[in-house]
Amino acid sequence: MDKKALEALLNDMSTEEKVMQLVQIPGSEYEASAEITGIERGQVKDNVKKLAGSTLGIWGSKRLKKIQEKYIKEHPHHIPLMFMLDVIHGHKTVLPCPLGQGATFDPDTVRKGAEMQAQEAAADGVHATFSPMADLCRDARWGRIMESTGEDKILNSRMATAMVEGYQGDDLKDRNYIAACVKHYAAYGAAEGGRDYNNTELSEHTLREHYLRAYGEAIKKNPAMVMTSFNSINGIPATGNKFLMKKILREEFGFKGVLISDWGAVGEMINHGFAEDQRDAALKAMMAGVDIDMCSGCYSSSLEDLVNTGAVSVQMLDEAVLRVLNMKNDLGLFEDPYRGIDMDAGPVITGESRALAKEAVAASLVLLENKENTLPLRKEKNAFIGPYANNKKLQSSWAFSGEDENTVTVWEAALEAFDPESIKVSTGCTMLDQDTMTARGKRHVDNWEVENTKFMAEAVKAAEWADTVIMCLGEDFAQSGEATSKVSLKLPAVQLKLLNEIKKTGKRIVTLIFTGRPLELNEVRELSDALMICWLPGTEGGHGVMDVLLGKVSPSGRLPVSFPYTVGQEPLHYDMYPTGRPRPETGPSAFTSSYLDCENGALYPFGYGLSYTLFEFINPTLSAQKMSGSETITAYVTVRNTGAMKGSVTVQLYIRDVTSSRVRPVRELADFKKISLDPGAEEEVGFIINEEMLRFWTAEEKWESEAGKFLVWICNSSRDGQPLEFKLA
Ligand code: NOJ
């Protein structure tokens, strides 16, 4: 439809019809089996159901075709309904959870993964996904850290950008792509105390320099939508926050697409104490520029009256509705309302999608310890022990359209790789302690003690038989994701007990940790000879893990988040500000900024990860020691694979602005490149440093760089390398 026809359509619509384009209702209104992803608020009225412009949580060609047919027939202008879904890290073929994708440090893999997700979801009739989540996360207590790509603005920017590109392709009309939604705008990851939905307090410079960056970068790729966040920022709920939505999002970032609230977030402004009632909440959300109200019912109950009484202008309403109609038009829905809904074919998992997923898994695994080259595994007697050894639940709570039966477990992959006589499997213990609260409610394990006594005895036997034990431990999939904040970052006690029991057998121990968040791994690392983070790896989890265990692929994942010594260090991040009394390198000393009972930094820092081979960073150099605003400097290093195996390494560039009008972090990631090298091979890696990369929110409240000295590290992790120096004139 051309612009004129779209405007003519808008002019012909009644106020009620217009308002309803801005209303999103749960898919459960159309189909009982729909996924409910928020608090239900009772049935919606018939007229709302007939006219609401979009819905979420349903997929599948047959179901959607039926719903769309009925809807279009009954709609006065036959405007198609838009179907949205949380396709977060996979639709049918499930990739590693976003935190695992962050660990790949490989935007190309992430882009290809998003493209595959789009193809699968589009073939199931989905028009838009609520992804990427560009929230910066420094707090492991917040369970949604699993849905982020980590604690760093540059890493998050690259990943969110790659996801938008992958989901949307070049043209949304192409039936292989779907609309992306950058969320949760803004700073949802900074919830106080790591408690989900909680208030955030952020200075403007921290907000702009760190928290807003990835949203801003992703928006440059024209995502169709942005979603508001649940939290308040500095006293104003994001969903009613004009500064965030009007000034920054629309004016500064130039976002032209549809702004959608999170589930119920418009109505929740009443609980926040920011709106009096539904009508007031609808008014405040409209004034802040929220186009679609996801499932709070405030727009459907009050917006028409707000327009009729002049509290919301017709022009404001029309602008919002036009953005929604434009999105439908960009998706080609007016020409083909059944886009992607094909009665015969739905998405299928293919050899190709499995291969992509397996590669992503292998690239996401982070090897933290490998004492005396415990890994790769030898072809001797190996016992796979633990609640993750043969567990199909390798995907997160957000991968609800992926089916468990398609998942390959670690044990299934072992059966393919080893002589069955040389391996054994044992559950070892229950996943959880006797009573545990999860995102899906309280879990009580019946017969807990009896079961665990039996499981552990079997496991000890298997360990005694083996030469090496591969402990498959971790958090349950329902312990990370939405509403899964925790104040303990330890493994369930029963799993730690199992590990201690197995240790007593004296066998070599490789510990695999399946998790959606950083955990406290002090005790685990002491008990293990090798330790590897596997995240929530998805459909091809078993195969990807096995490729690395066997040394078919050398591990190359890097931590996208700091793993703390203790939960007491949270929130924890590598790019902290200096203090006037820095802790001496030699350890804590009186009256310095130190903990009496712990290191300041992480047990395993951001950017850290081992490989089976060795990489030497030879002669890091800067092309010049001085730079004017219009010049650039290149930072070079030659990287040589001095080990015996092919491998990939992420070369990281960090910068510190030494003196400035507002203090700058001790170091900040400025760029990174992942390269692959054969044994003996070397490659020169160069990073261009320009003035733009040195800008920050100055004491004058301007986004500028300041002349002076800068330090540069070209290195292997956020804690590694020797600084070089240059001056900006
Ligand atoms: C609530 C979550 O916060 C958001 O991430 C999700 O996209 C929506 N519900 C829709 O399911």
Side-chain angles (χ1 to χ4, degrees), residues 37-38 56 86 88 130 144 147 183-184 188 197 227 230 262-263 294 398 400 482:
T37 61
L56 80 162
D86 288 280
I88 305 297
F130 298 122
R144 301 201 79 171
E147 300 169 57
K183 71 184 187 185
H184 307 84
Y188 183 33
Y197 316 117
M227 185 190 292
F230 288 120
D262 202 342
W263 179 296
M294 184 199 292
W398 278 112
F400 41 68
E482 192 174 343

Side-chain angles (χ1 to χ4, degrees), residues 174-192:
D174 184 332
R175 287 174 47 147
N176 286 310
Y177 295 92
I178 57 177
C181 175
V182 174
K183 71 184 187 185
H184 307 84
Y185 187 76
Y188 183 33
E192 278 180 7

Side-chain angles (χ1 to χ4, degrees), residues 430-663:
T430 50
M431 175 73 78
L432 296 171
D433 294 330
Q434 191 164 15
D435 288 293
T436 311
M437 200 59 199
T438 74
R440 313 266 153 149
K442 192 166 173 174
R443 285 240 209 116
H444 173 79
V445 187
D446 290 331
N447 268 338
W448 186 82
E449 233 171 296
V450 179
E451 291 279 292
N452 278 308
T453 312
K454 188 181 88 201
F455 284 153
M456 277 192 208
E458 279 169 15
V460 167
K461 256 197 191 158
E464 278 164 352
W465 164 88
D467 299 304
T468 300
V469 178
I470 299 94
M471 296 297 299
C472 304
L473 308 176
E475 278 200 345
D476 184 79
F477 82 103
Q479 288 183 293
S480 56
E482 192 174 343
T484 55
S485 298
K486 289 176 69 194
V487 296
S488 164
L489 299 177
K490 288 192 195 303
L491 283 176
V494 68
Q495 295 192 31
L496 283 173
K497 178 156 190 272
L498 172 69
L499 183 57
N500 277 289
E501 289 302 313
I502 299 299
K503 179 72 185 172
K504 288 183 198 153
T505 65
K507 299 304 169 81
R508 219 181 281 127
I509 295 183
V510 173
T511 304
L512 306 179
I513 299 288
F514 294 81
T515 181
R517 57 150 57 85
L519 294 171
E520 279 183 35
L521 294 174
N522 254 321
E523 184 178 347
V524 176
R525 81 159 165 171
E526 266 157 36
L527 295 169
S528 310
D529 298 287
L531 174 60
M532 188 156 77
I533 304 300
C534 302
W535 314 110
L536 294 169
T539 309
E540 280 291 296
H543 284 144
V545 167
M546 202 50 62
D547 276 0
V548 170
L549 287 180
L550 290 173
K552 284 191 189 161
V553 181
S554 175
S556 65
R558 297 307 171 103
L559 290 182
V561 276
S562 305
F563 272 50
Y565 283 89
T566 154
V567 69
Q569 294 176 292
E570 298 290 335
L572 180 64
H573 54 107
Y574 79 96
D575 49 353
M576 48 199 159
Y577 292 109
T579 76
R581 295 190 177 193
R583 180 184 190 272
E585 301 237 325
T586 47
S589 77
F591 301 107
T592 62
S593 181
S594 325
Y595 292 114
L596 294 178
D597 53 354
C598 185
E599 296 287 326
N600 284 6
L603 172 62
Y604 296 110
F606 175 84
Y608 177 80
L610 301 172
S611 166
Y612 293 157
T613 189
L614 285 172
F615 295 102
E616 203 181 330
F617 283 47
I618 304 160
N619 201 18
T621 326
L622 296 180
S623 62
Q625 272 67 51
K626 271 194 188 145
M627 177 176 128
S628 73
S630 57
E631 290 168 334
T632 61
I633 285 182
T634 308
Y636 296 101
V637 70
T638 299
V639 183
R640 185 182 298 153
N641 181 348
T642 57
M645 210 185 144
K646 184 181 169 163
S648 298
V649 59
T650 297
V651 186
Q652 300 161 43
L653 177 80
Y654 292 89
I655 298 184
R656 173 172 180 181
D657 186 343
V658 180
T659 316
S660 34
S661 64
R662 200 194 287 282
V663 289

